């Protein structure tokens, strides 16, 4: 059986390199037969793609998608420095 840290590293690499995701900011933790994805993204569709890629890379693990979707808004007023 592959060590958990190697599985996590393999999944993180896939999330970064897969053309569907290109995501560097997701933490992957593997504990036993459980994989936890944590971080923040700007859309639900992207969140779901990340879970799908992780499941493809480690099909024997149960994926817990704890990635949060955050709203990205435009900046407020301009800051004026005097």
């Amino acid at each position: 059986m592959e060590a958990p840290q190697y599985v996590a590293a393999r999944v993180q690499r896939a999330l970064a390199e897969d053309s569907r995701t290109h995501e560097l900011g997701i933490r992957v933790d593997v504990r036993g037969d459980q994989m936890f994805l944590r971080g923040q993204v700007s859309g639900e569709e992207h969140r779901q793609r990340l879970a799908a890629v992780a499941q493809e890379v480690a099909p024997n693990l149960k994926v817990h998608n704890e990635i949060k979707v955050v709203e990205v808004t435009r900046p407020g007023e301009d800051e004026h420095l005097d």
Side-chain angles (χ1 to χ4, degrees):
M1 180 172 204
E2 192 174 13
Q5 63 268 29
Y6 293 129
V7 176
R10 192 163 34 91
V11 171
Q12 283 183 306
R13 181 175 180 171
L15 296 178
E17 294 178 352
D18 192 288
S19 63
R20 296 169 288 176
T21 53
H22 292 296
E23 184 63 57
L24 296 172
I26 301 301
R27 290 185 319 277
V28 179
D29 296 315
V30 176
R31 294 185 196 136
D33 64 349
Q34 313 284 309
M35 176 173 26
F36 298 86
L37 304 177
R38 296 184 179 102
Q40 296 179 342
V41 295
S42 61
E44 180 62 30
E45 186 177 319
H46 191 58
R47 178 183 180 272
Q48 295 301 323
R49 281 195 308 265
L50 289 161
V53 170
Q55 188 68 71
E56 289 171 13
V57 174
N60 296 331
L61 299 179
K62 177 169 175 39
V63 176
H64 298 276
N65 190 348
E66 298 178 355
I67 299 170
K68 296 191 184 332
V69 176
V70 295
E71 184 177 337
V72 178
T73 59
R74 296 179 59 90
E77 296 180 22
D78 290 341
E79 181 179 3
H80 297 285
L81 303 174
D82 295 323

